[in-house]
Amino acid sequence: MATKALFAGSFDPITKGHIDLIERSALLFEDVTVLVSNNTEKTTLFTAEERKELAQQAVKDMSNVHVDILTDELVVEYAKRHQITAMVRGLRSMGDLDYEMVIAGVNHRQAPNVETVLLLADANYRYLSSTIVKEIASYHGDVSEMVDKDTAIALQKKYREK
Ligand code: ADP
């Protein structure tokens, strides 16, 4: 039985869409790891450590959720090392589905015992992405409906420094 799950992503920064998915995963699985990826070629606004701290702050009231950083390793390897048997991903659109099916296929080849679990985005957050949040925050727009309080403050601070 899949008791331990993993939710991996860039979380640059964590949004209410991510948080909703984590809350729902925490009801389905005994233990959920939010894995902040530091592997990607993408340049990020926040450092991995900052992204981890913001995610930690956002999930602090969820007792079966913790946050870690992934470095120099494939997500499936991390999952295998920690006896995690489910990888949760979020689906906002058909575009997400196309992409997720490819990733799930690749991951399945690497780790046949790790199952990909796709959860549908909440209707309220279907159009929400970290990219949109950053775009709005960069023009000093209001992102309070999209991210939690600490993340909104961190965004303001980042774009003031820039
Ligand atoms: P990556 O860039 O590595 O895909 P993201 O942080 O953008 O990382 O996304 C991590 C996961 O969260 C993905 O599965 C993505 O589909 C999901 N996700 C992102 N935004 C939302 C949202 N608004 N609602 C539900 N799931 C989401």
Side-chain angles (χ1 to χ4, degrees):
M1 202 175 88
T3 55
K4 287 172 94 180
L6 187 70
F7 184 45
S10 318
F11 305 107
D12 186 40
I14 190 160
T15 70
K16 287 195 179 177
H18 294 129
I19 297 167
D20 174 67
L21 226 73
I22 297 164
E23 269 168 357
R24 289 160 55 201
S25 303
L27 295 174
L28 290 173
F29 299 99
E30 278 172 16
D31 181 275
V32 178
T33 302
V34 176
L35 194 58
V36 176
S37 168
N38 199 23
N39 283 351
T40 130
E41 298 280 291
K42 284 192 213 168
T43 44
T44 54
L45 177 66
F46 293 98
T47 65
E49 204 50 54
E50 288 170 332
R51 287 180 277 138
K52 180 186 175 190
E53 276 169 28
L54 291 173
Q56 256 165 349
Q57 195 58 30
V59 304
K60 65 177 187 306
D61 295 328
M62 302 181 216
S63 58
N64 59 338
V65 178
H66 40 94
V67 185
D68 199 2
I69 297 181
L70 177 76
T71 347
D72 293 335
E73 189 181 23
L74 290 171
V75 178
V76 283
E77 293 306 326
Y78 181 99
K80 282 198 266 187
R81 261 194 319 116
H82 291 85
Q83 287 82 47
I84 291 169
T85 46
M87 288 194 298
V88 175
R89 299 285 295 172
L91 279 188
R92 287 162 293 185
S93 63
M94 292 305 280
D96 271 0
L97 180 60
D98 266 350
Y99 175 75
E100 295 299 342
M101 282 182 76
V102 174
I103 301 289
V106 172
N107 284 340
H108 185 74
R109 274 175 167 265
Q110 312 259 345
N113 297 327
V114 181
E115 199 64 51
T116 296
V117 178
L118 300 175
L119 294 181
L120 295 180
D122 184 281
N124 292 316
Y125 304 128
R126 198 173 292 155
Y127 302 105
L128 185 52
S129 67
S130 301
T131 307
I132 286 175
V133 166
K134 283 180 281 190
E135 177 80 12
I136 295 172
S138 72
Y139 292 104
H140 312 290
D142 179 13
V143 292
S144 58
E145 301 275 290
M146 303 175 181
V147 296
D148 74 356
K149 219 167 156 205
D150 297 288
T151 303
I153 293 168
L155 279 162
Q156 265 179 7
K157 202 162 160 259
K158 266 287 172 204
Y159 285 111
R160 254 204 321 264
E161 282 167 8
K162 274 188 172 264

